[in-house]
Amino acid sequence: MIIELDLESETPIYLQLKQQIIEGIALGELEPGEPLPSVRALASDLGINMHTVNKAYQLLKQDGYILIHRQKGVVIHPDGMPEADETFNAHIKNGLKPLITESMCRHMDEKDFLQMCQAVFEELRGKGQA
């Protein structure tokens, strides 16, 4: 998996890193149980601060995407991710609200918003099958 960070983006680097690792899991580029580089190694490879990588890893651990072992290192959660439940659905709903309200403020209608969501789903599915 190739991680590409936009150092000029308004999105913090640790969030870009977190999102790209989640995308790698979603697309099957990172398999359950697969090791990830150490904080130090990944920071060095990407040319970023170790604290940035550590923050991304801690968020991924908190959300259940990875496990961090003192001796084994960092691995994609071997059990994979659980199915979406009410808690996850509430999390998604809360995440969508700001996107929808921003879209409404910019006069984007529901149809265009939903078409954009569908296009992103299709784009990701296409990447996962490549």
Side-chain angles (χ1 to χ4, degrees):
M1 177 183 166
I2 298 172
I3 295 176
E4 295 179 8
L5 301 174
D6 180 358
L7 302 178
E8 304 298 322
S9 172
E10 291 181 13
T11 304
I13 295 170
Y14 74 93
L15 284 180
Q16 292 181 50
L17 182 57
K18 176 187 173 203
Q19 291 165 349
Q20 288 200 27
I21 290 172
I22 291 172
E23 186 175 321
I25 295 169
L27 300 179
E29 295 172 359
L30 296 170
E31 299 286 332
E34 185 174 336
L36 291 176
S38 69
V39 169
R40 182 181 306 269
L42 187 55
S44 176
D45 289 347
L46 296 174
I48 59 176
N49 190 300
M50 288 188 344
H51 296 295
T52 303
V53 176
N54 191 46
K55 189 169 185 175
Y57 276 4
Q58 290 302 320
L59 290 173
L60 289 163
K61 177 184 172 189
Q62 178 184 326
D63 293 342
Y65 291 100
I66 64 172
L67 292 178
I68 301 175
H69 298 278
R70 288 180 187 246
Q71 296 173 334
K72 296 179 183 176
V74 181
V75 296
I76 302 299
H77 200 294
D79 298 335
M81 293 302 295
E83 297 289 324
D85 58 10
E86 288 183 30
T87 303
F88 180 76
N89 290 341
H91 170 72
I92 291 295
K93 185 176 178 181
N94 286 335
L96 282 172
K97 279 184 180 177
L99 294 174
I100 292 171
T101 55
E102 284 182 44
S103 300
M104 292 169 73
C105 285
R106 294 180 181 261
H107 309 289
M108 178 183 264
D109 66 19
E110 181 180 346
K111 180 183 171 192
D112 290 341
F113 183 86
L114 293 175
Q115 284 178 339
M116 188 175 290
C117 288
Q118 187 175 12
V120 172
F121 256 97
E122 289 172 7
E123 178 186 325
L124 290 171
R125 282 190 185 128
K127 281 184 177 178
Q129 295 171 354

